[in-house]
């Protein structure tokens, strides 16, 4: 485990952070808890760039990745994170799961708990499913995305990427553009970025804009050209296939025209603006290829790299109490 | 590996148990072999309740879980068991398997053998498939359920649960209720429980009762209210979806009425009766929710926990000869 | 890692082999590089026959098996190989992949790279997909079969099997019979066997024979009885299901009659001829069961065993530079 004694977060006694034990969302986290996780993750970044990158703080612990909704990238990231920490990592794929045999979600949770899991990572298509499971098990639960609710590790990795590339999050003008109505990524990012004192703008067609979103402390726009003006960070959301036809947007071509990130549009942002996307991208729909691959502006692959580091930090930190790490017991 | 020198089973020289090498069923096991496995499992239970629960007796050994039939829970249990013992665990999923390309089962067995597996765990929809594979490979084979034949680790975990909760198996009056005709769980349990001198009753509608089942040393009932009378243990079987409509039972509602375990019906058993179910449950069909979740009677999550311990014991014991453990070579 | 100082290949300074870093095909390998890999693999064979067969040269390294095309056997072989070397092995299954969400192959490659993979094993239905990925990532890439292009580890394991069973490859008369037009196995084998100075004949119906194949240094036949005459090695190819009906062959029965390997036909080869098949076999189509199972002639299960050893050698050798192994940095 990287030495953390030089980090400001190390000043915080362990017992003062994460009294709740699980990470079900950004909501409920204190800003100093977010910063603590980012500091921890920062140290894993360098670690992961070495070869022979295994550490074994989680040796002998069982991590179950229970993915009730498919997500290759997020599963890979959590699996790599756990294995690098030395955990016994076991994947439970929903497609083969007892859930299909009519078992209730709570019965599944009780089963994973009875197998003496030490940490459970959950992905589920229903908002609130992760909290339901967290309430029933004895070990920490990590939300890997639940319905339209939250995707906290995505928000943490995005904050870490911004912090590393821009020197900090506070005061940055960030625009989040796309399907805000259905996006857990947007929700968690708004919570994390406002907690860290960024100035957050959101932009979507009216059909994809949640009502009263300004209550979350953000400024809504329907005109992307206006929203992107002088922004430090442009965060594009993935347009889900199921929204592409009919009900929400007239066509992907029309969407690209009004809400796609092109080089021309990016020119309205700050000259050194950062471009982000949680992936997988629909090139030519929400983002043009020359923007996605731009050597100076694009931080998209760096986001993936930060993802592993952030998940290592979460797995490490959340299991400290159970492992009896000094200051956390 | 937990010290076993204080256990009575340790008196048995290793060479005297499991001369056959594999565990294809309860049939063929001597009672002292069953007790030996329960004693071994008992020691892993406490081990699994600690953190940092890995031991590495199987370090450097390759365990292949060849599941030709999906079973998320059983696969998870065997995978966790193997990883906690330090084995290199590899899952072979039937859905992606060469079997679909028309390869024979024996060719698959020869392939796994040629890869120098040290132990193979098999689940297969056909009775006898496990024995067929065991005959062709050089390493121990563990039956994780084959057709309507056997599911020996389920019977062992059930026996361990009864032994721990009731102080012993001998003399316990156990009723097994449900689809006895198609249930490998019932078959293995009848063999194990009668071997350990329990008094076993079985209960099913006539359409789901195997002919001449009394030859197995059990008493058959078609009336659940009569069968449950004064029982110490009530073991419910899962009603498979494919039996629910038409041919075997009139309707799930009718089934619940006559063969479902409700609190009212449970009142006919001993006041401290244990309720068991192999999972996943159809709540409201074979078992009512308030029985499944009953804090005093239900041993259902404990069964799951015992499952990991029993599988660790089987994996450990069956590989001892090959590992050259003293007394087993 | 097995000591290799007694092997002739050890005389070659590491820097002189594999300057390209990845193994995308046999094409481009020097004969001494092929021999070097065979020598390395040879040493893993004995190792794998022991129990406690783990070595940990790849400890702390992340191996991603990215299989965009299903192949249970090849995936198992690479997974076992990597785990025996101590790598953290992670499987990415195409069926659940972002590729289905419309992500480009290059985006997937960039993602795996950003997660700091140390070696990526790729299987893909399109020829050239592996090279495309190798061009985009920083770590070695291993081709586990791409379209009709190459399957280099299959050719290496076949060469190792021949070398062990026949004492060498040079001068051996080998006939490769079957669907040469679509077979990456045939292509890689022709390249490896001719590089190692075997005399290679190929045999197929005209509809399955690539044009101008004699330019690869092999002698084409359409009559299997003539082609097999006095051969030391008879290598049968799998007839893919999709070729069986109509367009390429009249019927499987007709195919078996003219191109199936029977005991009668095998009698035309050398008396000690070796029979090989990459598996999974269509018994009764391209090969008769009594040939496939022949105790003297068949080397089919030995091929599977050599497969694990060859893949261990490739994983070990290709990561040496990054691991800073002396002479390879």
């Amino acid at each position: 485990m990287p030495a953390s004694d030089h980090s400001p977060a190390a000043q915080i006694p362990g017992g003062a952070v994460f009294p709740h034990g699980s990470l079900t969302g950004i909501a409920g986290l204190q800003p100093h808890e977010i910063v603590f996780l980012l500091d921890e993750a920062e140290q894993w970044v360098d670690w992961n760039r070495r070869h022979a990158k295994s550490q074994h703080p989680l040796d002998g612990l069982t991590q179950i990745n229970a993915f009730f909704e498919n997500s290759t990238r997020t599963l890979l990231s959590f699996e790599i994170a756990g294995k690098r920490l030395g955990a016994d990592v076991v994947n439970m794929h929903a497609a083969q799961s007892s859930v299909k045999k009519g078992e209730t979600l709570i019965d599944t949770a009780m089963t994973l708990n009875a197998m003496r899991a030490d940490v459970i990572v959950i992905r589920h298509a229903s908002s609130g499913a992760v909290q339901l499971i967290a309430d029933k098990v004895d070990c920490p639960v990590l939300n890997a995305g639940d319905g339209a609710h939250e995707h906290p590790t995505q928000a943490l990795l995005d904050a870490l990427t911004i912090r590393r590339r821009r020197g900090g999050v506070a005061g940055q003008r960030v625009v989040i553009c796309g399907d805000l109505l259905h996006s857990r990524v947007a929700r968690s990012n708004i919570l994390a970025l406002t907690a860290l004192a960024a100035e957050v703008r959101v932009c979507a067609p009216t059909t994809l804009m949640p009502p009263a979103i300004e209550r979350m402390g953000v400024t809504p726009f329907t005109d992307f050209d206006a929203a992107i003006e002088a922004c430090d960070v442009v965060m594009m959301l993935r347009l889900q296939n199921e929204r592409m036809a009919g009900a929400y947007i007239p066509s992907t071509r029309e969407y690209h025209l009004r809400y796609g990130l092109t080089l021309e549009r990016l020119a309205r942002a700050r000259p050194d603006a950062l471009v982000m996307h949680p992936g997988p991208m629909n090139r030519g729909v929400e983002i043009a290829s020359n923007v996605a691959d731009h050597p100076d502006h694009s931080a998209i692959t760096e986001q993936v790299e930060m993802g592993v580091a952030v998940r290592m930090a979460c797995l490490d930190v959340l299991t400290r109490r159970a492992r009896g790490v000094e200051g956390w017991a």
Side-chain angles (χ1 to χ4, degrees), chain A:
Chain A
M1 191 170 28
S4 62
D5 51 6
H6 60 278
S7 106
Q11 309 307 321
I12 305 170
V17 290
F18 309 109
H20 27 73
S22 289
L23 179 68
T24 54
I26 297 295
L29 288 190
Q30 300 300 313
H32 76 266
E33 293 178 316
I34 296 176
V35 171
F36 179 81
L37 285 175
L38 298 184
D39 289 344
E40 288 287 326
E42 189 84 57
Q43 303 170 65
W44 290 113
V45 175
D46 292 332
W47 193 265
N48 285 338
R49 290 184 177 178
R50 301 182 209 168
H51 289 279
K53 51 180 79 83
S54 284
Q55 276 289 85
H56 296 122
L58 268 60
D59 195 23
L61 268 62
T62 303
Q63 170 189 336
I64 302 183
N65 298 325
F67 274 52
F68 299 92
E69 183 187 64
N70 280 341
S71 169
T72 308
R73 292 160 148 264
T74 307
L75 178 58
L76 266 181
S77 187
F78 271 108
E79 187 175 353
I80 289 173
K83 287 182 171 172
R84 284 191 185 155
L85 293 170
D88 293 330
V89 183
V90 179
N91 295 332
M92 194 191 94
H93 297 288
Q96 315 148 5
S97 145
S98 314
V99 177
K100 284 172 90 186
K101 293 191 192 168
E103 190 180 46
T104 68
L105 188 61
I106 287 176
D107 282 341
T108 304
M110 303 289 272
T111 298
L112 301 182
N113 195 51
M115 291 179 181
R116 302 278 158 181
D118 297 290
V119 58
I120 303 178
V121 180
I122 316 254
R123 176 120 169 166
H124 202 286
S126 301
S127 304
V130 174
Q131 186 62 55
L132 197 73
I133 291 174
D135 290 343
K136 288 288 173 185
V137 301
D138 301 317
C139 69
V141 166
L142 251 160
N143 185 354
D146 64 329
H149 175 230
E150 282 231 36
H151 192 355
T153 57
Q154 179 71 43
L156 291 168
L157 75 89
D158 286 336
L160 184 59
T161 305
I162 294 170
R163 194 174 81 165
R164 286 170 61 95
R165 288 285 286 259
R166 309 287 309 171
V169 177
Q172 296 287 308
R173 181 177 293 165
V174 183
V175 59
I176 305 175
C177 178
D179 178 1
L180 292 158
L181 189 61
H182 305 94
S183 175
R184 55 196 173 205
V185 170
R187 235 185 91 76
S188 288
N189 259 309
I190 291 170
L191 290 164
L193 293 171
T194 54
L196 299 176
E199 178 198 330
V200 183
R201 296 171 172 191
V202 296
C203 177
T206 42
T207 52
L208 295 173
M209 178 73 81
I213 196 169
E214 54 279 1
R215 287 194 208 147
M216 292 187 79
V218 301
T219 316
F221 290 78
T222 52
D223 178 355
F224 194 16
D225 287 324
I228 202 172
E229 198 69 44
C231 279
D232 299 283
V233 179
V234 185
M235 195 179 276
M236 302 305 296
L237 299 175
R238 173 179 171 74
L239 189 66
Q240 302 293 330
N241 289 321
E242 55 269 36
R243 322 271 183 244
M244 283 192 194
Y248 295 99
I249 61 161
S251 74
T252 57
R253 199 157 150 274
E254 174 84 2
Y255 185 84
H256 182 66
L257 212 64
R258 296 197 48 203
Y259 295 98
L261 186 60
T262 57
L263 273 186
E264 295 69 41
R265 201 161 261 145
L266 183 59
R268 296 173 171 268
R270 288 269 165 87
D272 56 352
L274 213 60
V275 172
M276 302 175 72
H277 190 293
M281 291 182 278
N282 299 301
R283 288 166 178 264
V285 181
E286 72 264 9
I287 191 165
S289 269
N290 55 6
V291 177
D293 300 332
H294 198 286
D296 302 324
H297 292 292
S298 174
I300 295 171
T301 58
E302 191 169 342
Q303 287 173 276
V304 175
E305 183 181 5
M306 294 306 114
V308 178
V310 154
R311 280 146 193 154
M312 290 172 82
C314 291
L315 290 167
D316 171 32
V317 167
L318 289 179
T319 58
R320 283 187 190 167
R321 185 162 310 146
R323 288 187 281 131
V325 171
E326 210 188 314
W328 292 79

